[in-house]
Amino acid sequence: MTVSASSPFVCAVDWGTSSFRLWLFDRDGAVLAESRSDEGMMKAVQTGFAVVLEKHLASVEADPDLPVLICGMAGARQGWVEAPYVAVPATLGGLADAVRSIEELPRDIRILPGVAQRDPAAPDVMRGEETQLLGLGANGANRIICMPGTHSKWVEMRDGAIHGFTTYMTGELFSVIGKHSILKHTVGAAKGGTEIPPAFLLIAGKAIADPDALAQGLFKLRAGQLLGYSDNGEGAVQLSALLIGAEIGAAMRQYPGMRAPVLISDGRLGLLYEVAMKQAGLEPVIVNADDITRTGLYTLARQIWTA
């Protein structure tokens, strides 16, 4: 833990399904201290949300009267207190106005709502990602934004508001297919590092060009190994390429004028999306996911406690 001499303003929390991240901000948005763990919603349901939060607040020496702003799964129906969805178009002010307070603790604790696309033809929801999107500020005023993950989001921002979005279960499909389908004998362990195998670019390019061929492409991964056309160690790369390529190809058809999407990600997954986008002729603008989450939470905290 690193502590600054500046005066604390707010504690902000990104509470995911399997992760917990807390930052202590000063009034200018500088991070004075932080605390992280794997105590996401799934563990907090068992341990107690208040218990987990108070432990992390103590670790950064947060004063009892310091307010706390929380985004993510703590506000889900299965979370601490449900913070109902705000309908698109969703703005900074709209999210700030719809926060839910935690009444069981004396501290001022507020949970941000998620965002819902209430369209019978294209129903969709997000919870947590909206904080990153609004952290983009002017840079996301009129852009298409890609947010890779277990449930990847492609979002249309106009005039600083979330106007529409589409979710792709790319990350979850990779996990389920790799562990619970016939391809579990093909996929193996995913590799790290920054090297991109040629097989990734080849398969991603094909999937981008024809995203509808995903179902038949999946079995070809298995058949290719059985017939000796690909190495046994390439299964995870090939599956990633097929799923990510199909996602990007579908998004390009949905947003035909898209040229430079904002890519909010980091690490190996962000790199795979970046090279696949470039393979498709796009010019992604890279934004670090951790940085933009902090920016969004601080911006919303300022909206709530200095309004």
Side-chain angles (χ1 to χ4, degrees):
M1 179 183 72
T2 302
V3 179
S4 166
S6 300
S7 176
F9 164 59
V10 69
C11 274
V13 176
D14 178 19
W15 213 322
T17 302
S18 59
S19 65
F20 177 98
R21 298 182 293 174
L22 177 147
W23 296 279
L24 178 63
F25 291 109
D26 71 9
R27 192 160 292 277
D28 295 324
V31 176
L32 306 181
E34 66 177 87
S35 184
R36 300 172 181 243
S37 76
D38 64 351
E39 295 164 295
M41 181 188 70
M42 300 301 290
K43 288 190 175 181
V45 166
Q46 305 299 322
T47 307
F49 286 89
V51 172
V52 173
L53 178 61
E54 287 298 329
K55 180 182 75 173
H56 286 275
L57 289 171
S59 75
V60 298
E61 301 176 2
D63 291 337
D65 60 347
L66 198 68
V68 177
L69 181 64
I70 301 172
C71 76
M73 297 306 293
R77 186 170 299 172
Q78 303 83 8
W80 193 353
V81 172
E82 184 178 6
Y85 295 109
V86 171
V88 295
T91 63
L92 178 70
L95 286 172
D97 291 341
V99 294
R100 291 291 303 274
S101 295
I102 298 294
E103 305 295 345
E104 66 187 80
L105 297 176
R107 188 190 297 272
D108 185 0
I109 302 173
R110 308 193 197 187
I111 298 182
L112 287 161
V115 175
Q117 185 167 271
R118 300 185 185 279
D119 179 352
D124 217 326
V125 295
M126 67 169 68
R127 192 175 290 278
E129 294 93 347
E130 71 287 334
T131 307
Q132 293 181 328
L133 292 165
L134 296 174
L136 286 172
N139 291 330
N142 294 282
R143 303 293 289 271
I144 302 300
I145 295 125
C146 173
M147 312 173 78
T150 303
H151 299 153
S152 296
K153 308 286 185 186
W154 286 77
V155 185
E156 182 181 6
M157 295 280 288
R158 295 204 305 266
D159 300 322
I162 302 168
H163 271 261
F165 57 97
T166 301
T167 301
Y168 296 85
M169 292 177 58
T170 303
E172 186 166 353
L173 283 173
F174 179 90
S175 178
V176 171
I177 291 170
K179 294 177 181 177
H180 303 290
S181 77
I182 188 65
L183 292 184
K184 68 182 180 181
H185 305 296
T186 301
V187 173
K191 296 180 180 179
T194 58
E195 182 180 354
I196 305 298
F200 179 87
L201 294 174
L202 177 64
I203 294 176
K206 291 180 179 179
I208 289 166
D210 186 13
D212 291 333
L214 176 61
Q216 61 175 285
L218 286 169
F219 194 76
K220 286 180 180 178
L221 302 183
R222 176 65 176 158
Q225 278 195 13
L226 290 174
L227 298 176
Y229 297 130
S230 60
D231 296 334
N232 289 339
E234 292 184 341
V237 166
Q238 292 175 332
L239 180 58
S240 289
L242 184 61
L243 294 172
I244 292 172
E247 175 188 328
I248 293 172
M252 290 178 70
R253 291 196 301 183
Q254 183 175 358
Y255 306 109
M258 176 175 59
R259 293 293 176 266
V262 175
L263 175 60
I264 301 179
S265 190
D266 49 32
R268 174 72 174 178
L269 182 61
L271 180 61
L272 292 177
Y273 272 78
E274 179 183 355
V275 298
M277 286 181 179
K278 290 179 177 178
Q279 179 83 346
L282 301 174
E283 299 177 359
V285 178
I286 313 301
V287 174
N288 181 273
D290 220 35
D291 291 345
I292 205 65
T293 299
R294 290 195 299 268
T295 300
L297 281 166
Y298 169 73
T299 302
L300 283 156
R302 293 278 294 182
Q303 179 82 14
I304 293 168
W305 281 289
T306 61

